[in-house]
Amino acid sequence: MSLKLIPNSAARRHFLDRHALAEPPLGACAGPALAGLVARIGFVQVDSITTVARAHDMILWARRGGYRPSALKRALEGERALWEHWTHDASILPVGLWPMWRARFAADEARLHGNWQRWFRDGYQAQFGTILDRIARDGPVSSSDVGEGEARGKGGWWDWHPSKTALEWLWRTGRIAVTRRDGFRKVYDLTERVIPDAVRAVEVAPEAVVDWACGSALERLGFGTAREVAAYWNAVSGEVARDWLARALRDGWVEEALVEGADGTRRRVFTVPGLAGAEVPEVTGRLRVLSPFDPALRDRARAEFLFGFRYRIEVFVPEPKRVFGYYVFPLLEGERLVGRIDVKRAGEVLAVRAVWPEPGVNWGRGRQAKLEAELGRLAGFVGSERVEWAEGWLRAYPQGWGS
């Protein structure tokens, strides 16, 4: 039987719709509405870099222009509708997913044991009981509150003092949870004081965790390969995802189709039922500045196949070797990634250093007006009074990049 084809434009639109990037960025974004938005896209990555705003704030603001960081703080620390843990990186998640993480806690304890013994300095395991007793007795702690008298290394994460390592271990294995952040520093408390009792009371069988990890990933992707499904939550292996998809296909829970890439090539994928041939969502022509860590772009290989957009973050690349810049933001217009921008907040100024249109994109007055309008909104969001443009800000796409 021949497989139905999902044309590239339709594939992009379905995917963006599932990531809340098809509709205009309007509507409520606090309380239940904010929790619902996070549940819709699955997770919101947390990152410390703040050239304009934190990654999690940029991700949410791109989808709801009325979003404010104070609403996220309330949802995490007061309402307890959201919590923070690990997917492929530190992320904010719906609190209802916590029971699914029990399997990850156990797996991380087994997997990290050998690695951490090789990577970190000795002594952290001896601190587990001491730290748990202290938190139980005295309340939440951060890494700066523990480790008195311990030698602090001068290196990076591998040279943490033992109590800092112990805190991270206890968090990764579920004994403690992030109760709040002071600035960007995590503050930990006992898990039973952070995660609501009703959530912790839920028991999930191992096979149900696999069903959730694969089924909910495909629901948010719309379509994907086994690798893409496994990578979404980073909760199961590619082999487990392949086996699950094969069973789901046999039982009629998923379908197969061909999806067209940006370059015209076709890829065999699994889809949610009825996606191939379904009505294609409308997509707003709004131009948006996206975080490099946006869930829609986290899978760089998928973004390159679907949008023809090759992106590599260059934070750790020596400046002379950078192609674009330290922290460059993708620009989404409608269903297309039309360029990238190097922009930085400096107090009352939002400074544009450079804009690189993607190959084949004409940067005319209409598109420029859209960008200026979006940057004006972004300046208001981060508290800057005006946007300034560097001389020679419009740059040619680097020859050979992405080929």
Side-chain angles (χ1 to χ4, degrees), residues 16 19-21 55 58-59 61-63 287-297 307 309 311 327-334 336-337 339-341 343 374 378:
L16 291 172
H19 277 76
L21 287 171
M58 290 288 292
I59 290 166
W61 179 80
R63 289 161 170 80
L287 191 148
R288 311 183 207 222
V289 179
L290 299 185
S291 166
F293 298 108
D294 194 287
L297 303 177
F307 297 97
F309 187 78
Y311 186 90
Y327 195 82
V328 173
F329 298 87
L331 297 174
L332 175 70
E333 181 187 26
R336 300 176 67 194
L337 287 159
R340 58 198 85 196
I341 184 170
V343 60
E374 184 72 353
L378 180 57

Side-chain angles (χ1 to χ4, degrees), residues 127-139 190 193:
Q127 298 299 316
F128 292 165
T130 301
I131 289 175
L132 290 172
D133 289 344
R134 174 173 174 175
I135 296 174
R137 182 183 67 248
D138 300 331
L190 299 179
R193 294 176 181 168

Side-chain angles (χ1 to χ4, degrees), residues 95-386:
V95 74
L97 294 184
W98 186 88
M100 302 299 180
W101 256 248
R102 281 199 181 96
R104 184 186 292 263
F105 297 151
D108 277 356
E109 184 161 359
R111 180 177 60 85
L112 296 177
H113 179 71
N115 290 339
W116 284 33
Q117 282 188 320
R118 291 194 301 272
W119 294 343
F120 293 104
R121 288 186 285 151
D122 293 336
Y124 72 90
Q125 292 171 303
Q127 298 299 316
F128 292 165
T130 301
I131 289 175
L132 290 172
D133 289 344
R134 174 173 174 175
I135 296 174
R137 182 183 67 248
D138 300 331
V141 302
S142 69
S143 59
S144 64
D145 299 319
V146 299
E148 294 89 344
E150 295 179 4
R152 295 172 184 259
K154 297 180 180 180
W157 55 265
W158 62 89
D159 210 13
W160 288 339
H161 60 73
S163 291
K164 161 68 172 173
T165 309
L167 272 176
E168 288 292 314
W169 173 275
L170 292 169
W171 175 58
R172 289 289 297 270
T173 58
R175 270 75 160 184
I176 60 177
V178 177
T179 188
R180 69 177 189 272
R181 281 184 181 259
D182 289 344
F184 200 69
R185 178 181 293 159
K186 294 195 292 284
V187 179
Y188 305 91
D189 203 348
L190 299 179
T191 297
E192 55 266 31
R193 294 176 181 168
V194 177
I195 306 301
D197 293 345
V199 175
R200 289 186 295 105
V202 175
E203 298 288 342
V204 183
E207 59 272 19
V209 174
V210 174
D211 288 344
W212 161 79
C214 297
S216 66
L218 189 62
E219 182 66 31
R220 286 164 177 81
L221 293 168
F223 57 88
T225 64
R227 183 201 66 78
E228 291 168 345
V229 167
Y232 194 82
W233 298 107
N234 195 28
V236 296
S237 68
E239 182 179 1
V240 168
R242 281 192 295 274
D243 290 345
W244 185 90
L245 287 163
R247 292 195 303 272
L249 180 66
R250 182 193 62 211
D251 295 340
W253 300 344
V254 305
E255 297 174 354
E256 281 189 299
L258 296 175
V259 64
E260 182 182 36
D263 62 356
T265 60
R266 298 179 177 186
R267 178 180 293 175
R268 189 171 183 138
V269 295
F270 298 92
T271 78
V272 295
L275 186 74
E279 183 177 354
V280 179
E282 294 291 327
V283 176
T284 177
R286 180 87 164 251
L287 191 148
R288 311 183 207 222
V289 179
L290 299 185
S291 166
F293 298 108
D294 194 287
L297 303 177
R298 186 206 65 78
D299 189 330
R300 307 294 193 212
R302 180 182 172 96
E304 192 166 345
F305 171 76
L306 194 57
F307 297 97
F309 187 78
R310 184 171 188 257
Y311 186 90
R312 303 293 183 271
I313 197 160
E314 297 182 273
V315 169
F316 302 111
V317 177
E319 186 170 1
K321 296 184 178 181
R322 289 174 188 153
V323 177
F324 295 101
Y326 173 79
Y327 195 82
V328 173
F329 298 87
L331 297 174
L332 175 70
E333 181 187 26
E335 68 184 52
R336 300 176 67 194
L337 287 159
V338 296
R340 58 198 85 196
I341 184 170
D342 186 353
V343 60
K344 183 175 182 179
R345 178 173 58 88
E348 64 181 19
V349 173
L350 193 62
V352 178
R353 299 174 177 180
V355 174
W356 295 267
E358 287 293 288
V361 172
N362 176 40
W363 204 265
R365 283 184 291 182
R367 188 164 281 127
Q368 177 63 15
K370 287 184 178 183
L371 177 59
E372 290 175 3
E374 184 72 353
L375 291 177
R377 289 185 286 263
L378 180 57
F381 174 62
V382 301
S384 294
E385 295 181 1
R386 64 186 186 277

Side-chain angles (χ1 to χ4, degrees), residues 36-56:
L37 177 62
V38 176
R40 177 177 172 183
I41 60 180
F43 61 87
V44 176
Q45 184 170 335
V46 178
D47 190 75
S48 62
I49 299 172
T50 181
T51 56
V52 174
R54 302 285 189 195
H56 46 284

